[in-house]
Amino acid sequence: MAISTPTSVTDICLAAKAAAKPLAALGADVKDRALHAIADALVARTPEILEANAKDLEAGRANEIGDALLDRLALDAERIEGIAAGTRAIAALPDPVGETIDGHRLPNGVDVRRVRVPFGVVAVVYEARPNVTIDAAGLALKSGNAIVLRGSSTAIHSNRVLAAIASEAATAAGVPEGAIQLVAGGGREELAELATQDGVVDLIFPRGGEGLKNALKAVATVPVIYAASGNCHLYVDASAKLDDAEAILINGKTQRPGVCNALETLLVHADAAAEFLPRAAKALHAAGVELRGDERARALAGPGIPIALATEEDWATEYLALTLAIRVVDSAAEAIDHVGRYGSGHSEAIVTQSTDAARAFQLGVDAACVYVNASTRFTDGGEFGMGAEIGNSTQKLHARGPIGVRELTTFKYLIEGTGQVRA
Amino acid sequence: MAISTPTSVTDICLAAKAAAKPLAALGADVKDRALHAIADALVARTPEILEANAKDLEAGRANEIGDALLDRLALDAERIEGIAAGTRAIAALPDPVGETIDGHRLPNGVDVRRVRVPFGVVAVVYEARPNVTIDAAGLALKSGNAIVLRGSSTAIHSNRVLAAIASEAATAAGVPEGAIQLVAGGGREELAELATQDGVVDLIFPRGGEGLKNALKAVATVPVIYAASGNCHLYVDASAKLDDAEAILINGKTQRPGVCNALETLLVHADAAAEFLPRAAKALHAAGVELRGDERARALAGPGIPIALATEEDWATEYLALTLAIRVVDSAAEAIDHVGRYGSGHSEAIVTQSTDAARAFQLGVDAACVYVNASTRFTDGGEFGMGAEIGNSTQKLHARGPIGVRELTTFKYLIEGTGQVRA
């Protein structure tokens, strides 16, 4: 593991590649044992982790990085227990490697099947949260991939200790040395070096804001799975059960407003608006949500609740805060059009009792996850039963939605015959 | 269809995007009718196609593009019949759109399923062969994608007529106007404009040489599925049936040496070399194959057959010609290492009667297609029963191996509940 001796990004990636081949052939027993060993080591070495974390927090306070970032950076014994529990949960998942996806026999008797295999070397580029170091390392290990971790300089002391603990525990449990690598430097030059490791790094996942994604887009020649922001909509149809609609609305907007599967815009059918908007506005207001609406929404929401006039920018904005845009539409088709224009392809929901409207919405909305009568907050690897996730893809290539251990694999065709040749 | 009036690449792509949404919702009946209509129109309008093709051939001869390129460019009534037959074969495939890939019920009663959907807009960038215009348009139509075709300037007259015929026939059969687009200009500026249509073009497939791929790599921000060359190996194990080995060798090397699934290197286990190499060298020589071997291969092949000494470069070369490199190895592990070092991840084969060796080769070789006792020449969408192919992917993201109609789709999660919210 390239932590104690400073080496180039290229050398780090080559070391990961050297580990990738034996790692791909590792049985589930060894991988799961290693994941439990990592969890044990995290708990056992908590004081060491907290000591390193304190250095990051101190530097963060000195650099005035702000309370939100400091909170994301901070670890305590309970959070470390949580990270360890996540690692054990990854161990409990079925091994995706070796799964036969499908297969058939050709007319000439040759058998063709597609079997899941690891990518080889995956890289994760992330900001602040040190728990990603362990989550990403665990998902990579379970899926048989070597990993290159490139965290933020803000969390460098925490990341160094966490990566060292993971690497040491994994190696002691039989994982090839070098399977878990950390790029210590946080500069743009290192990012460019990482993003151009063609033939060495198979895939990069950025976990961070638009700045990071644009920086990658400008230089990457290695395939990147981008996660766009989540400008998610809830459409309350004319026939919606209004209790369901309100529950899904409040859940989507207020449970955790800072995440990508939270709601940003409410669309309401005109036939339901007069009844639904007053109660929805009241409940949102009571939950501390600031409202922006079009003229009709403002008129129908009733007196007493302040609703600013929504601008074009409001429809396009992912607030990631207790703010919601509201628009009244005259049909499901108009709602679908609005989502098509402003949505980011993440998670979109309709509440309806109409099978026609539900079907039109599911077919007409182009997003990773399209919901009927359920909260967009379910878009999550854990909620979907996939275990932890390395991120959430809003691009269409390879994987859409949560990126779990299955999405960290590719496949190969295994073909078996008895001497057949092509005619 | 943007053929008669010159427009910018951006406008062409936007027109394709406008068509993509209604096209994605089109039933299989309309799509298949349109494919048959295209086939009928190709046959009916053969004189028109041949007239345009004659212009390209004349220009090609004037520009001295060479006999091989002229042959790839040339159409006649029989070739046009073949292209039409290919389009009808695509119509006969099952519709990939709407297929439920998998699904499950969450503990809270919410149903989650993954359903195949088209990408939206795919672009194909290709060289010379005008048949790709129809093959790619047919595959895109079947998979519900709008397509932007960017052919070579060498085939511009042929491509214009072929794309116009396909677009007109499809539109008349009920396909949304604009679903089949041709970028008439062949310059690098147009390529860069096409490769940066983020949010409009979902995916680009290059079909061409390294120059085209490098040009795309330098500018593309849209996802690209690259097809590397095929430096394919045949490993004849100690326990191989030598008749099978010889048949697979001759088939792989000589049936069509200019394609990516042809063999380039023969690896022979030392225990089989003394018996196999003399007969193999004789058969290869009789088939006109030029041989390059390591010292042991040259010594064991016996007298009378000229074998040049292979250099490091020979192991790395995709000859695409009647030339073969030969090396003697001492174990299956050594063969796997050789393939790992020099292979391009396309198609690799072992001939063996040992289950251990077969399994070691299939697990240890990282390639799209790994064969046991069958010819690498089977790596082909048609041979695999997938119908026609738009190319052959050697990258690991999204799809490996033949890119058929299924590989031209992505998926979305459709989630259905009865008012569930996240706890």
Side-chain angles (χ1 to χ4, degrees):
Chain A
M1 155 117 199
I3 287 179
S4 45
T5 49
T7 38
S8 75
V9 171
T10 302
D11 287 343
I12 288 171
C13 294
L14 287 172
K17 189 175 166 70
K21 201 180 165 185
L23 178 56
L26 223 56
D29 52 348
V30 178
K31 295 190 286 187
D32 294 346
R33 231 173 14 236
L35 288 163
H36 281 286
I38 292 171
D40 293 345
L42 288 170
V43 175
R45 294 170 69 174
T46 292
E48 200 180 328
I49 299 169
L50 294 182
E51 195 183 327
N53 191 238
K55 283 186 204 162
D56 288 330
L57 289 169
E58 195 182 332
R61 274 188 291 264
N63 293 325
E64 299 180 356
I65 62 171
D67 285 349
L69 222 55
L70 281 171
D71 179 59
R72 293 172 68 188
L73 184 55
L75 295 173
D76 56 26
E78 197 185 336
R79 284 192 175 179
I80 293 169
E81 284 279 5
I83 298 171
T87 306
R88 292 187 208 283
I90 293 171
L93 294 170
D95 189 344
V97 176
E99 181 199 343
T100 299
I101 302 170
D102 50 32
H104 63 291
R105 182 160 297 163
L106 304 185
N108 61 8
V110 167
D111 281 334
V112 178
R113 63 198 151 109
R114 288 196 300 157
V115 174
R116 267 193 211 293
V117 296
F119 274 107
V121 178
V122 300
V124 178
V125 182
Y126 54 108
E127 293 170 344
R129 296 181 193 269
N131 65 300
V132 175
T133 305
I134 298 297
D135 290 354
L139 289 165
L141 178 51
K142 182 78 187 192
S143 55
N145 291 289
I147 190 165
V148 177
L149 299 155
R150 194 273 200 182
S152 154
S153 54
T154 322
I156 187 65
H157 297 97
S158 313
N159 288 340
R160 274 202 180 123
V161 169
L162 290 167
I165 289 173
S167 180
E168 287 162 26
T171 306
V175 170
E177 210 165 330
I180 301 171
Q181 297 282 344
L182 181 74
V183 174
R188 284 285 147 99
E189 267 173 46
E190 274 95 359
L191 186 66
E193 196 178 341
L194 176 62
T196 50
Q197 295 290 328
D198 296 65
V200 180
V201 173
D202 290 289
L203 195 53
I204 299 177
F205 292 94
R207 282 190 66 157
E210 294 302 313
L212 171 62
K213 280 186 270 172
N214 290 334
L216 263 178
K217 216 156 215 194
V219 295
T221 53
V222 166
V224 181
I225 291 200
Y226 292 98
S229 53
N231 188 16
C232 305
H233 301 74
L234 173 68
Y235 166 55
V236 177
D237 189 38
S239 66
K241 281 190 190 170
L242 300 190
D243 287 348
D244 288 354
E246 186 178 324
I248 290 168
L249 171 64
I250 298 298
N251 188 247
K253 183 67 255 180
T254 71
Q255 195 199 27
R256 215 176 149 197
V259 295
C260 58
N261 60 14
L263 290 176
E264 307 296 355
T265 295
L266 169 68
L267 304 169
V268 186
H269 192 287
D271 292 351
E275 192 183 346
F276 184 64
L277 276 183
R279 62 183 283 189
K282 201 175 150 191
L284 289 161
H285 187 65
V289 179
E290 184 194 325
L291 304 176
R292 321 258 172 101
D294 70 349
E295 290 291 6
R296 283 206 284 179
R298 296 171 86 202
L300 288 168
I305 310 287
I307 305 185
L309 185 64
T311 64
E312 179 70 16
E313 203 189 327
D314 282 305
W315 309 130
T317 300
E318 183 191 21
Y319 298 115
L320 293 172
L322 286 175
T323 308
L324 182 78
I326 307 178
R327 185 176 168 188
V328 175
V329 297
D330 291 308
S331 64
E334 201 185 322
I336 292 166
D337 279 351
H338 182 102
V339 171
R341 190 165 308 119
Y342 300 105
S344 59
H346 193 293
S347 299
E348 307 291 352
I350 181 174
V351 181
T352 187
Q353 285 298 304
S354 156
T355 53
D356 275 1
R359 194 169 160 77
F361 194 83
Q362 286 197 317
L363 291 178
V365 168
D366 183 19
C369 299
V370 189
Y371 289 83
V372 175
N373 297 332
S375 172
T376 55
R377 291 276 297 120
F378 288 120
T379 301
D380 174 89
E383 295 293 323
F384 275 13
M386 295 157 57
E389 59 178 37
I390 214 157
N392 215 301
S393 162
T394 50
Q395 73 172 43
K396 297 179 186 174
L397 202 62
H398 183 68
R400 258 177 137 172
I403 306 286
V405 291
R406 180 184 61 191
E407 289 72 25
L408 285 173
T409 63
T410 179
F411 61 83
K412 58 183 170 190
Y413 285 96
L414 298 185
I415 304 116
E416 290 166 20
T418 49
Q420 286 87 345
V421 298
R422 188 160 166 182
Chain B
M1 156 116 201
I3 287 178
S4 46
T5 51
T7 39
S8 74
V9 172
T10 302
D11 287 344
I12 288 171
C13 294
L14 287 171
K17 189 174 167 68
K21 202 180 161 182
L23 177 56
L26 222 56
D29 53 347
V30 178
K31 294 188 287 189
D32 293 344
R33 231 172 15 237
L35 287 163
H36 281 285
I38 291 171
D40 292 345
L42 287 171
V43 175
R45 293 169 69 174
T46 292
E48 201 179 326
I49 299 168
L50 295 182
E51 195 182 327
N53 190 241
K55 283 186 203 161
D56 287 330
L57 289 170
E58 195 181 333
R61 273 188 290 265
N63 293 325
E64 298 179 358
I65 62 172
D67 285 348
L69 222 55
L70 281 171
D71 178 59
R72 294 171 68 185
L73 183 56
L75 295 173
D76 56 28
E78 196 185 339
R79 284 191 175 181
I80 293 169
E81 284 279 4
I83 299 170
T87 306
R88 292 186 209 283
I90 293 171
L93 294 171
D95 190 345
V97 176
E99 181 200 343
T100 299
I101 302 170
D102 50 33
H104 62 292
R105 183 160 295 162
L106 304 184
N108 62 8
V110 168
D111 281 334
V112 177
R113 62 198 151 107
R114 289 197 299 157
V115 174
R116 266 191 210 293
V117 296
F119 274 106
V121 178
V122 299
V124 178
V125 182
Y126 53 107
E127 293 171 343
R129 292 181 197 268
N131 64 300
V132 175
T133 305
I134 298 297
D135 290 352
L139 289 166
L141 178 52
K142 181 79 189 194
S143 55
N145 292 290
I147 190 165
V148 177
L149 299 155
R150 194 270 201 183
S152 154
S153 55
T154 323
I156 187 64
H157 297 98
S158 313
N159 287 341
R160 274 201 178 122
V161 169
L162 290 167
I165 289 172
S167 180
E168 286 162 26
T171 307
V175 170
E177 210 165 329
I180 300 171
Q181 298 283 343
L182 181 74
V183 174
R188 284 283 148 101
E189 271 173 44
E190 275 95 357
L191 185 65
E193 195 177 343
L194 176 62
T196 51
Q197 296 289 327
D198 296 66
V200 179
V201 172
D202 291 287
L203 195 52
I204 299 178
F205 292 94
R207 283 190 65 157
E210 294 301 313
L212 172 63
K213 280 186 269 173
N214 290 334
L216 263 179
K217 216 155 216 196
V219 295
T221 54
V222 166
V224 181
I225 291 199
Y226 293 98
S229 54
N231 189 15
C232 306
H233 300 74
L234 174 67
Y235 166 55
V236 177
D237 189 38
S239 66
K241 281 190 189 170
L242 299 189
D243 286 348
D244 288 355
E246 184 178 328
I248 290 168
L249 171 65
I250 298 298
N251 188 248
K253 182 67 254 180
T254 70
Q255 196 198 28
R256 217 178 146 198
V259 295
C260 57
N261 60 15
L263 290 176
E264 308 295 357
T265 296
L266 168 68
L267 303 168
V268 185
H269 192 288
D271 292 352
E275 190 180 348
F276 184 63
L277 276 181
R279 62 184 281 191
K282 198 173 152 193
L284 288 161
H285 188 65
V289 179
E290 184 194 325
L291 304 177
R292 320 259 171 101
D294 70 350
E295 291 293 4
R296 282 207 283 180
R298 294 171 85 202
L300 288 167
I305 310 287
I307 305 184
L309 185 64
T311 64
E312 180 68 16
E313 203 190 328
D314 282 304
W315 309 129
T317 299
E318 183 189 21
Y319 298 115
L320 294 172
L322 287 175
T323 307
L324 182 77
I326 307 178
R327 184 175 167 189
V328 176
V329 296
D330 290 308
S331 65
E334 199 185 324
I336 293 167
D337 279 349
H338 182 102
V339 171
R341 189 164 310 121
Y342 300 104
S344 59
H346 193 296
S347 300
E348 307 293 351
I350 182 175
V351 180
T352 187
Q353 284 299 300
S354 155
T355 53
D356 275 359
R359 193 168 162 78
F361 195 83
Q362 286 197 317
L363 292 177
V365 168
D366 184 19
C369 299
V370 188
Y371 290 83
V372 174
N373 296 332
S375 172
T376 56
R377 291 276 298 121
F378 287 120
T379 301
D380 173 89
E383 294 293 323
F384 274 13
M386 297 157 57
E389 60 178 35
I390 215 157
N392 215 301
S393 163
T394 48
Q395 74 171 44
K396 296 180 188 176
L397 203 62
H398 183 69
R400 257 177 139 173
I403 305 286
V405 293
R406 180 183 64 188
E407 288 72 25
L408 285 174
T409 62
T410 179
F411 61 83
K412 58 182 169 189
Y413 284 97
L414 298 184
I415 303 115
E416 289 165 21
T418 51
Q420 285 87 342
V421 299
R422 186 161 167 183

